[in-house]
Amino acid sequence: MEMRKFLFLLLMLIIVMAAACAPRPEMMLEQLIEQSLRQEGKDVDIDVSGDGSVQIKDKDEQVTIDSGTGMLWPGDKLPTKVPPVPGVKVEMVMDMGTGILVSFTGCDQATAEAYAANLKSLGWESSMDMQTEDGYVFVFASDNESLTFSWEKQGESGSITYGKS
C-alpha cells in the first residue's frame, strides 16, 4: 500500500476537520478517507482521536501519527544511539513500523551542528552531508540501520528519520 502518498492529504484533512464545529469531526474524517481509499481499491482502517493521534492500518502495515502540544521525545521507539535533540519541541512522531519520523522546532544552528557531531561520536557513519546556508541534511548508516537528520535555519526546525532494513 502507498501510505506515504496519503499522509499529507490526511494531515490536511485533520486540520480542517479539527476546526469544524460538527460533533465528532474525527469520525466524519475517518469515514471520508476510508471511503475514498476503498474507491481506489485500498482497504484501510483509519482511527482519528481527539488528542491528535491518527492510526492507519491495512492488512500489511500500520502507521501511527501523534502530534500536539507537550509531546515527549519518543525514546521508547528509538534506540539509545538516537538520543534526543537537546531543548527541542517535538511537533510530530510518525511510527511506520519499520521506521520512525520525529519532527521538531526550537533547534538553533549550534545545537544542530553539535547533534550531528554527537551522532558521529556514537558510531553513526556519515554517508552524505549536504550543507547550504539555509540548513543541513546528514545521512548516516550503521549496520542495518539508517538515520537522516535534517535542519532548517528558517524556523529553526528539523526532523530525524530512523529506519531498520
Side-chain angles (χ1 to χ4, degrees):
M1 181 173 75
E2 298 175 278
M3 293 281 250
R4 288 163 188 88
K5 289 184 179 180
F6 302 109
L7 293 178
F8 180 75
L9 171 63
L10 176 64
L11 289 173
M12 291 297 106
L13 286 172
I14 290 169
I15 292 167
V16 170
M17 292 304 290
C21 296
R24 301 269 323 198
E26 62 272 3
M27 264 182 91
M28 291 172 42
L29 175 62
E30 290 170 21
Q31 293 170 355
L32 175 69
I33 295 171
E34 287 172 0
Q35 182 180 25
S36 174
L37 293 175
R38 271 191 218 100
Q39 290 174 350
E40 294 184 22
K42 296 170 179 36
D43 186 20
V44 297
D45 179 36
I46 298 173
D47 294 313
V48 180
S49 70
D51 67 357
S53 175
V54 178
Q55 285 192 351
I56 307 167
K57 299 180 220 172
D58 74 355
K59 64 182 180 179
D60 300 319
E61 293 183 273
Q62 176 174 322
V63 174
T64 303
I65 304 168
D66 294 311
S67 63
T69 57
M71 292 188 63
L72 300 176
W73 184 262
D76 59 331
K77 298 176 188 227
L78 293 167
T80 56
K81 64 181 187 176
V82 183
V85 180
V88 300
K89 178 181 175 189
V90 176
E91 298 286 332
M92 181 188 72
V93 176
M94 183 185 310
D95 184 345
M96 299 164 278
T98 58
I100 304 291
L101 168 72
V102 181
S103 175
F104 54 85
T105 58
C107 182
D108 62 26
Q109 185 169 355
T111 301
E113 291 171 354
Y115 188 77
N118 186 34
L119 290 173
K120 291 176 185 176
S121 75
L122 292 171
W124 288 99
E125 294 180 32
S126 180
S127 60
M128 183 187 86
D129 291 356
M130 186 174 81
Q131 300 182 20
T132 68
E133 63 184 49
D134 298 326
Y136 307 107
V137 176
F138 298 101
V139 179
F140 299 96
S142 175
D143 299 322
N144 65 340
E145 301 169 297
S146 65
L147 178 70
T148 302
F149 172 63
S150 66
W151 176 78
E152 182 180 307
K153 188 180 229 176
Q154 185 178 9
E156 296 189 330
S157 61
S159 68
I160 290 181
T161 305
Y162 168 81
K164 278 188 154 186
S165 54

